[in-house]
Amino acid sequence: MGNPLQLKSLNHISLMCRSVEKSIDFYQNVLGFFPIRRPSSFDFNGAWLFNHGIGIHLLQTEDPEGMPKIGHINPKDNHISFQCESIGAVENKLKEMKIEYVKSRVEEGGIYVDQLFFHDPDGSMIEICNCDNIPVVPLSNDTVWSCSRFNCNIQNSQHQIQHITPIKQQDIPMNSYVQ
């Protein structure tokens, strides 16, 4: 398949919101994003945030009443997923913050992935998981990838996937986050 568009990584996602201020508060105080400068030439209300290797661009809707109503939490809905260090710690923090969530567990070949789903202030679904527990196995060949938060290591599928020691964020030079 290759990489016909020569993509490098996910840069950002854009989300429409009823209130940029409420969304900034949520993404900062719940998910740990921080505001970054956005181009001054924009003539509409919004904010840019960054962390975890991606950006979130918040766009103030011109019709807050026209946005979809926030429904029940459905893990099968569109969502943004973040990996975490400890699903138990995340669950405790969500309880402490009084954020409603749904818990799920996926099993594949004796490997378990725990998931927590909840909404942002506008109903966009957020997933927190320990998804790096499960190998990424492309359907096109027998290569197996074991992915962590900071790298993917290609391994031959005939060898057992061994635990990869995660890189600590403080060990990564700050200039590696900016291109």
Side-chain angles (χ1 to χ4, degrees):
M1 287 235 213
N3 185 1
L5 300 180
Q6 299 179 11
L7 303 179
K8 297 189 311 184
S9 66
L10 176 65
N11 181 270
H12 72 273
I13 59 165
S14 290
L15 299 170
M16 296 296 292
C17 48
R18 290 175 181 85
S19 165
V20 170
E21 292 74 22
K22 285 182 183 177
S23 293
I24 290 170
D25 181 66
F26 174 85
Y27 282 96
Q28 272 190 281
N29 296 315
V30 176
L31 298 179
F33 281 80
F34 56 90
I36 61 172
R37 185 181 311 232
R38 86 191 257 264
S40 59
S41 61
F42 286 151
D43 61 355
F44 55 91
N45 191 16
W48 284 10
L49 302 128
F50 185 82
N51 204 352
H52 317 295
I54 64 164
I56 293 182
H57 294 184
L58 302 173
L59 308 170
Q60 176 72 49
T61 183
E62 293 178 6
D63 181 18
E65 298 304 315
M67 286 187 64
K69 302 289 182 221
I70 299 173
H72 70 284
I73 299 171
N74 179 1
K76 294 179 187 172
D77 205 348
N78 293 329
H79 59 273
I80 309 165
S81 181
F82 297 96
Q83 295 185 127
C84 69
E85 299 278 332
S86 166
I87 204 80
V90 171
E91 187 171 13
N92 289 338
K93 194 66 170 172
L94 291 175
K95 286 177 184 175
E96 179 184 308
M97 296 171 131
K98 296 180 174 44
I99 294 175
E100 182 183 353
Y101 64 91
V102 169
K103 192 173 184 177
S104 182
R105 179 175 252 200
V106 176
E107 184 269 335
E108 176 63 29
I111 298 172
Y112 294 92
V113 171
D114 294 304
Q115 305 164 297
L116 299 171
F117 294 90
F118 53 96
H119 288 134
D120 78 359
D122 299 294
S124 294
M125 185 76 64
I126 308 293
E127 173 190 4
I128 308 291
C129 68
N130 56 356
C131 297
D132 56 348
N133 288 348
I134 198 161
V136 176
V137 182
L139 297 176
S140 61
N141 60 35
D142 66 348
T143 301
V144 174
W145 295 12
S146 177
C147 291
S148 72
R149 291 181 307 170
F150 296 105
N151 62 14
C152 283
N153 293 303
I154 298 173
Q155 300 176 351
N156 186 319
S157 65
Q158 298 184 4
H159 296 289
Q160 180 180 8
I161 297 174
Q162 298 184 358
H163 176 71
I164 298 170
T165 304
I167 300 169
K168 292 186 173 130
Q169 193 167 4
Q170 64 266 22
D171 295 339
I172 299 173
M174 283 304 291
N175 62 2
S176 68
Y177 289 110
V178 182
Q179 295 195 20

